[in-house]
Amino acid sequence: MICLGLFPPYPPSGFEHIEWRYFYHLLFMQDYLPPDICFVFWSLAIELKFYILAPFIALGLLKIDRVHHRYAVLIAIITALATLRLYAALYISDQSGDYETYFLEFRNRFHLGADALIAGMLCAKLWDNKNIRARLRKPIMANTLFFGGFFLFFALTGFTLLHDTGISLFDKAGVPLLIGGAFGAMMMGLLGGCKASRFFKGRGLRFIAMISYSLYLIHIPLLLPIVVTGARIYDDPAHPALSWLATLPPFAMYCVMAATFMYFVIEKPFIDWARKK
């Protein structure tokens, strides 16, 4: 839809060298080349590379007899990738502290963000172990993991925005892995049956979870026209926060409607087709 020019900020006729941009996006290389058809597409390239790599890691783990050695291998991979990101933060990446430069040259690179994805594999392997799973299902463990992960995530993201504070070494080297670890802990706590699990099992959140991938893809194309044109439901320059609060509910409604359409018309048919294969 974006490539067809259905969203005002993305007219293909306005792009230079649009054929080249389409080409490397089709190859899912927009994590190393500019994701400038729609910048939300940067994560799709990282996901695809992980999907290609993960089966080989899984096959390698199956060749290791001792379960605890498998965990050690995954931890070693995570450590190596995190060390690579620290090295890049210290010696390779731009040191200006500008968010856009940080995002294009550092944050959206597959090799600089894969450690959190491997951490997800480690969580899956831990849950697959029945002895560990039994421990994770104990209320104190499940609640500690979920709420510990939640407060860690809030501490990392809830007080300041990277856009406003500049980019520090900790932001580059530590925050991505810590956020991945926070979500991993929350997920393990929910699987273990923490107190918050009832809330997440609600019908409304289950529906949002179902359309979440489409919702992620569509929210930026729908948001950018508001940012570019300033078309808010209530626009008071003296109270920008109030303007956004008034605009947020209809924006969220439009996003959910568009994501629901995308899920049932595009995403679900392809999921069903893949399962038949």
Side-chain angles (χ1 to χ4, degrees):
M1 290 187 289
I2 287 174
C3 293
L4 293 175
L6 299 182
F7 295 93
Y10 304 98
S13 60
F15 289 159
E16 298 178 358
H17 310 296
I18 189 65
E19 296 84 1
W20 164 239
R21 298 183 185 190
Y22 282 171
F23 176 72
Y24 70 69
H25 274 72
L26 289 173
L27 295 178
F28 289 91
M29 290 302 298
Q30 63 268 27
D31 53 336
Y32 289 98
L33 295 169
D36 50 6
I37 290 181
C38 176
F39 60 82
V40 76
F41 292 165
W42 70 276
S43 63
L44 304 183
I46 291 180
E47 291 172 32
L48 181 69
K49 292 178 178 64
F50 174 70
Y51 296 150
I52 293 173
L53 179 64
F56 294 99
I57 296 177
L59 287 173
L61 293 175
L62 290 176
K63 296 182 180 298
I64 300 175
D65 295 330
R66 294 182 179 275
V67 174
H68 291 84
H69 289 177
R70 297 176 185 176
Y71 303 150
V73 168
L74 288 173
I75 292 172
I77 295 173
I78 294 168
T79 303
L81 291 171
T83 303
L84 177 63
R85 185 168 61 244
L86 176 60
Y87 176 82
L90 287 171
Y91 302 110
I92 299 176
S93 67
D94 184 90
Q95 303 298 324
S96 65
D98 174 71
Y99 182 82
E100 183 177 356
T101 302
Y102 155 76
F103 178 81
L104 292 174
E105 300 297 331
F106 193 88
R107 180 68 184 95
N108 68 333
R109 298 289 195 259
F110 169 72
H111 68 285
L112 299 179
D115 51 347
L117 297 172
I118 305 300
M121 293 185 69
L122 176 61
C123 289
K125 295 300 293 182
L126 290 171
W127 182 256
D128 191 50
N129 186 309
K130 64 179 182 180
N131 294 325
I132 296 177
R133 187 165 62 244
R135 296 176 185 176
L136 292 172
R137 283 176 169 161
K138 293 182 178 180
I140 187 171
M141 179 63 75
N143 289 316
T144 298
L145 284 170
F146 176 82
F147 291 105
F150 174 81
F151 286 116
L152 174 59
F153 173 72
F154 185 80
L156 292 168
T157 63
F159 296 103
T160 58
L161 296 175
L162 289 179
H163 304 72
D164 300 331
T165 61
I167 310 301
S168 68
L169 176 63
F170 176 69
D171 294 324
K172 291 180 179 181
V175 168
L177 180 60
L178 289 175
I179 288 180
F183 274 101
M186 292 171 65
M187 177 185 67
M188 300 293 273
L190 289 171
L191 289 172
C194 68
K195 290 184 177 180
S197 61
R198 293 183 180 179
F199 174 73
F200 283 88
K201 289 178 181 177
R203 183 175 298 180
L205 281 183
R206 289 174 66 183
F207 176 77
I208 294 298
M210 181 181 71
I211 65 168
S212 60
Y213 191 72
S214 295
L215 187 62
Y216 164 71
L217 293 177
I218 200 67
H219 82 282
I220 289 296
L222 290 178
L223 175 64
L224 203 55
I226 299 176
V227 174
V228 171
T229 65
R232 301 183 176 94
I233 302 300
Y234 170 79
D235 194 5
D236 184 354
H239 301 89
L242 184 60
S243 300
W244 274 109
L245 285 175
T247 305
L248 185 59
F251 169 70
M253 180 186 69
Y254 292 141
C255 286
V256 170
M257 291 172 59
T260 302
F261 174 82
M262 286 181 60
Y263 174 77
F264 285 105
V265 175
I266 301 174
E267 184 178 350
K268 189 175 185 300
F270 277 97
I271 292 174
D272 294 340
W273 174 79
R275 287 174 177 171
K276 291 178 181 178
K277 298 296 181 180

